[in-house]
Amino acid sequence: MRKLIAGGLVAATALVGASGALAQQKDEDFVKYRQGAFQTIAWHFGPLAGMAKGDIDFDAELAQRNAERLAQLASMPWEGFEGGPHDAGDGHTHAKEAIWEEMDKFEGGAEKFQQEVDKLAEVAQQGELGPLRQQVGAVGDTCKKCHDNFKED
Ligand code: HEC
């Protein structure tokens, strides 16, 4: 019992330590984080888009795995936009100011993206190319729409 409590204290201290570290995140960390999250999303979306276009062979297992991962990843980039552009002036961010001026619209785009990847994960379980292709298209539209409005080329 005593050991358990002591363990709990250690865990609590570790958490406090972690939130301390959070407060120290620099502007460039926010930019790196959100770009990294998008790179990871693109890594998983790429093969699905390739299958949909017929550029690579349909692989039902890979499609299912990547779609499931995308459903998880879709919630991740957004905390990197919290608290402002975090533009360190080094030209690294391609995020437009419009994000913070029209946050509702941006968040709406993020929600729509999440809905479409959730659906993609469901569709991928069927193991058929036809419906997968269609849903990959729907997801791709949400990427494009948000980039058109909120991302510099
Ligand atoms: C709701 C908005 C939104 C959605 C949805 C979205 N993106 Fe983005 N994406 C952005 C913004 C904003 C940036 C620019 C981030 C920055 O440079 O700070 C970005 C950047 C990127 C980058 C460049 C990352 C880098 O290293 O600079 C890639 C790749 C990318 N997105 C891929 C995707 C793909 C693929 C999808 C869909 C499967 C997608 N995005 C969906 C808003 C979005």
Side-chain angles (χ1 to χ4, degrees), residues 116-136:
E116 296 295 357
V117 289
D118 285 346
K119 203 166 156 197
L120 183 69
E122 269 174 48
V123 167
Q125 284 179 9
Q126 296 170 21
E128 284 168 36
L129 182 57
L132 183 83
R133 182 184 283 140
Q134 204 179 349
Q135 190 54 27
V136 165

Side-chain angles (χ1 to χ4, degrees), residues 2-75:
R2 191 167 268 193
K3 258 196 175 160
L4 266 179
I5 292 169
L9 268 179
V10 170
T13 317
L15 270 177
V16 171
S19 64
L22 219 71
Q24 283 160 28
Q25 280 165 336
K26 296 191 286 262
D27 282 334
E28 65 183 71
D29 296 330
F30 279 81
V31 175
K32 272 194 244 164
Y33 170 75
R34 67 200 187 212
Q35 290 181 342
F38 285 122
Q39 290 288 345
T40 312
I41 285 170
W43 173 271
H44 290 91
F45 189 63
L48 289 162
M51 287 179 212
K53 280 191 218 145
D55 290 345
I56 58 172
D57 288 342
F58 176 54
D59 176 339
E61 241 173 72
L62 182 69
Q64 194 175 337
R65 190 203 70 168
N66 280 20
E68 273 165 15
R69 286 190 181 169
L70 277 171
Q72 302 288 323
L73 291 166
S75 68

Side-chain angles (χ1 to χ4, degrees), residues 31 34-35 38-39 41-42 45 78 81 92-95 99 106 109-110 113 139 142-143 146-147 150-151:
V31 175
R34 67 200 187 212
Q35 290 181 342
F38 285 122
Q39 290 288 345
I41 285 170
F45 189 63
W78 321 118
F81 293 93
H92 283 168
T93 183
H94 293 107
I99 294 170
F106 183 69
F113 172 58
V139 171
T142 66
C143 314
C146 187
H147 289 176
F150 297 114
K151 179 179 169 290

